[in-house]
Amino acid sequence: MGGRHGVLDEEGEWQPIKNITDPYIKVLGEVSVYYYNNRTSSHLSFVKVLNGDTHGHYYDDYYYRLALEAQDSGLTKKYQAIVLERRYAYFRNVTSFTPL
């Protein structure tokens, strides 16, 4: 099983995202900040994805672990977001969003 942006090894370990500048990865970062803002009434602004990993789990379920930058009141801060994506159901959920 392989993800669109990373290759899943035999044990199902996290694998680096090969093209961190892919527009799809940027969308996942933007979605993460959007969900976080809605859950917490924050006003973060997405800046960029710094790096990330992918992990396939079950059939067509993928987790993305992204290190990203977002601005908070003019200050750029680093965060880690974990996004679950179920491609067969067109579903995304931010399972974790924490400061680094």
Side-chain angles (χ1 to χ4, degrees):
M1 182 187 323
R4 175 177 169 191
H5 303 286
V7 177
L8 188 62
D9 67 8
E10 299 286 323
E11 288 79 39
E13 299 294 324
W14 290 97
Q15 295 295 310
I17 295 172
K18 293 180 180 180
N19 182 5
I20 206 68
T21 60
D22 186 320
Y24 188 79
I25 299 302
K26 179 182 177 187
V27 167
L28 291 175
E30 292 170 339
V31 165
S32 300
V33 171
Y34 174 81
Y35 280 129
Y36 178 77
N37 285 340
N38 284 337
R39 288 181 183 170
T40 63
S41 299
S42 295
H43 301 287
L44 296 179
S45 298
F46 174 79
V47 175
K48 68 179 178 178
V49 176
L50 301 170
N51 60 54
D53 303 302
T54 185
H55 178 345
H57 186 65
Y58 302 120
Y59 178 75
D60 238 3
D61 282 4
Y62 291 92
Y63 286 91
Y64 293 89
R65 180 172 57 191
L66 306 174
L68 56 90
E69 286 184 344
Q71 284 191 342
D72 183 12
S73 302
L75 298 174
T76 301
K77 298 180 182 180
K78 295 180 182 177
Y79 297 89
Q80 176 179 277
I82 298 179
V83 182
L84 166 62
E85 181 177 52
R86 292 191 171 131
R87 294 185 182 162
Y88 58 88
Y90 303 103
F91 171 83
R92 286 186 194 133
N93 185 35
V94 178
T95 61
S96 174
F97 192 93
T98 55
L100 289 176

